Amino acid sequence: MNKEIVLTGIKPTGTPHLGNYVGALKPLIEQSRNHKTYIFIADLHALNIIKDPQEIKRHTYEIAAIMMSLGLDVNNSVLFKQSDIVQVYQLATLLMNVTPKGLMNRAHSYKAAIDKNIAAGLDEDAGINMGLYTYPILMAADILLYDTDVVPVGADQKQHVEFARDIAGYFNHIYGKTFKLPESIIGESTGIIPGLDGRKMSKSYDNIIPLLAPEAELKKKIMRIITDSKLPEESKDPDTSTIFQLYKHFASDVEIEEFRQQFLSGGMGYGTAKTILFDKINSVLSKPRAEYERLMMNPSEIDKVLETGAQKARIVAEKTLARVMKVMLGK
Ligand code: ADP
Ligand code: TRP
């Protein structure tokens, strides 16, 4: 087992989709086979957006059940809820004192919120809460609390990991080496998975195919993928087809090549191609889906795993916080 500590957070703000699976969840599960991996559900980070506790709770269970049913080794990795570890709130407050305000002003997500307000003719800080403004500090606390070496994230989170590294650097400069300096790994190798309309699959575009939706819903969504109007007999370009781009991530090399040839040679209509895609995705996901549905009917099993995860995470969190309290407050 590699000694590096890997950590990532997943925000419970939506139902995970095929893009999340290919771009983030699947690589994470593979990584957890040979690294000590902390995966937490970032429910505190959801608070600046979602005000309904039941919604946060539902997405939290969904994410935990998805990770468990996709085969995350819960003995080798630590799956927990961010809010279960009080030390993270404490560390975030302490880190505020070494974090320059200017750093927060430069955060892409905060700047994007300001730009949106200005474009709408509103006050630049309209609707922006301190949870959004200090989001990177809480995220730095997440990362630094567990002595993390690497943080696998999507490209949009790279700046946040750099901020965590900066904050650790400022802290170490004042108080002596207390924190490891974390690095991000950006999951670009899988590329961007297109959604129903051909744009990036994203909950913000309302074009998603949910990862473990019931079979009938999966089929309905796949049949709704937008295509061009080529006739069955015409040759089609696999590389610009959403159907083929999705198929690539679920089939074997031989199957992919065969499907490619069917696209190029003509003779296969998009309806048939969608049925082939559905059968493939369904065959890969039907077992995890059954397990997912079972777990969602038995939330106490999910609670147990999250509680065991929290106990393991707490051991490290307590040590780190004690180290910080000692150097900052002489405690
Ligand atoms: P969304 O765009 O639906 O809001 P998130 O931003 O919450 O998704 O993404 C969570 C993770 O899933 C990130 O690591 C991101 O890189 C990955 N991801 C999301 N959408 C895609 C996609 N269409 N293709 C590949 N990876 C994706
Ligand atoms: N901010 C991340 C997102 O929006 C989620 C997250 C919270 C996270 N804390 C983290 C990711 C720590 C990696 C490490 O997707």
Side-chain angles (χ1 to χ4, degrees), residues 7-9 11 40 42 45 135 139 142-143 151 153 157 160:
L7 169 139
T8 202
K11 223 172 13 169
F40 62 89
H45 272 116
Y135 188 103
M139 185 153 158
D142 289 327
I143 295 171
V151 188
V153 279
Q157 297 296 315
H160 287 151

Side-chain angles (χ1 to χ4, degrees), residues 256-275:
I256 295 169
E257 195 40 43
E258 206 177 298
F259 204 40
R260 173 184 285 282
Q261 289 314 322
Q262 284 175 286
F263 264 79
L264 293 172
S265 61
M268 175 180 66
Y270 283 124
T272 309
K274 286 177 182 177
T275 304

Side-chain angles (χ1 to χ4, degrees), residues 19-88:
N20 300 142
Y21 171 67
V22 174
L25 306 180
K26 194 164 157 231
L28 195 57
I29 285 169
E30 279 158 16
Q31 189 138 38
S32 75
R33 307 230 157 88
N34 47 22
H35 285 82
K36 171 123 187 164
T37 307
Y38 290 90
I39 301 169
F40 62 89
I41 302 159
D43 51 357
L44 296 174
H45 272 116
L47 287 174
N48 74 77
I49 308 169
I50 305 187
K51 308 298 182 197
D52 173 3
Q54 293 313 322
E55 194 184 339
I56 297 185
K57 215 168 153 181
R58 178 166 58 85
H59 290 314
T60 299
Y61 276 114
E62 278 174 4
I63 293 167
I66 283 178
M67 295 311 281
M68 289 162 70
S69 59
L70 289 175
L72 180 80
D73 179 352
V74 289
N75 297 315
N76 197 14
S77 44
V78 183
L79 180 67
F80 63 104
K81 264 189 279 184
Q82 182 187 29
S83 62
D84 279 349
I85 310 297
V86 292
Q87 287 78 7
V88 84

Side-chain angles (χ1 to χ4, degrees), residues 30 111 200:
E30 279 158 16
K111 286 202 324 203
K200 176 192 169 203

Side-chain angles (χ1 to χ4, degrees), residues 64-297:
I66 283 178
M67 295 311 281
M68 289 162 70
S69 59
L70 289 175
L72 180 80
D73 179 352
V74 289
N75 297 315
N76 197 14
S77 44
V78 183
L79 180 67
F80 63 104
K81 264 189 279 184
Q82 182 187 29
S83 62
D84 279 349
I85 310 297
V86 292
Q87 287 78 7
V88 84
Y89 314 62
Q90 297 173 315
L91 183 59
T93 301
L94 295 167
L95 292 179
M96 302 243 173
N97 303 290
V98 299
T99 304
K101 176 169 174 280
L103 194 70
M104 298 301 99
N105 292 342
R106 290 208 303 275
H108 298 321
S109 45
Y110 172 61
K111 286 202 324 203
I114 290 185
D115 290 347
K116 213 169 144 190
N117 279 337
I118 292 173
L122 299 168
D123 179 84
E124 64 172 32
D125 277 330
I128 299 180
N129 58 47
M130 288 303 284
L132 173 71
Y133 188 59
T134 61
Y135 188 103
I137 304 178
L138 179 59
M139 185 153 158
D142 289 327
I143 295 171
L144 302 179
L145 193 57
Y146 304 102
D147 290 328
T148 309
D149 294 294
V150 284
V151 188
V153 279
D156 62 321
Q157 297 296 315
K158 185 168 186 261
Q159 189 198 37
H160 287 151
V161 181
E162 281 164 5
F163 281 5
R165 195 183 162 85
D166 291 343
I167 293 171
Y170 298 135
F171 192 101
N172 288 350
H173 181 71
I174 301 170
Y175 293 108
K177 188 165 182 330
T178 308
F179 294 119
K180 278 193 198 168
L181 301 185
E183 272 175 48
S184 58
I185 355 178
I186 310 299
E188 272 158 357
S189 57
T190 46
I192 290 179
I193 309 302
L196 297 178
D197 56 1
R199 291 187 294 171
K200 176 192 169 203
M201 188 180 291
S202 168
K203 58 179 175 289
S204 342
Y205 296 148
D206 202 13
N207 64 356
I208 67 155
I209 303 179
L211 174 56
L212 295 179
E215 188 170 313
E217 190 185 337
L218 177 67
K219 185 159 199 172
K220 211 163 104 190
K221 290 274 182 190
I222 288 178
M223 290 303 169
R224 261 199 222 143
I225 293 173
I226 294 173
T227 62
D228 56 32
S229 51
K230 288 217 166 85
L231 298 169
E233 55 273 21
E234 285 182 82
S235 166
K236 302 171 184 70
D237 180 7
D239 297 320
T240 56
S241 162
T242 300
I243 302 171
F244 185 76
Q245 294 312 311
L246 286 170
Y247 188 80
K248 269 195 337 200
H249 293 284
F250 292 88
S252 69
D253 290 348
V254 176
E255 290 168 329
I256 295 169
E257 195 40 43
E258 206 177 298
F259 204 40
R260 173 184 285 282
Q261 289 314 322
Q262 284 175 286
F263 264 79
L264 293 172
S265 61
M268 175 180 66
Y270 283 124
T272 309
K274 286 177 182 177
T275 304
I276 295 172
L277 173 66
F278 164 73
D279 287 340
K280 184 79 260 166
I281 296 186
N282 196 41
S283 73
V284 174
L285 295 181
S286 63
K287 246 175 125 179
R289 181 199 298 130
E291 175 60 2
Y292 171 78
E293 284 169 359
R294 192 191 68 76
L295 285 166
M296 291 299 276
M297 302 287 285

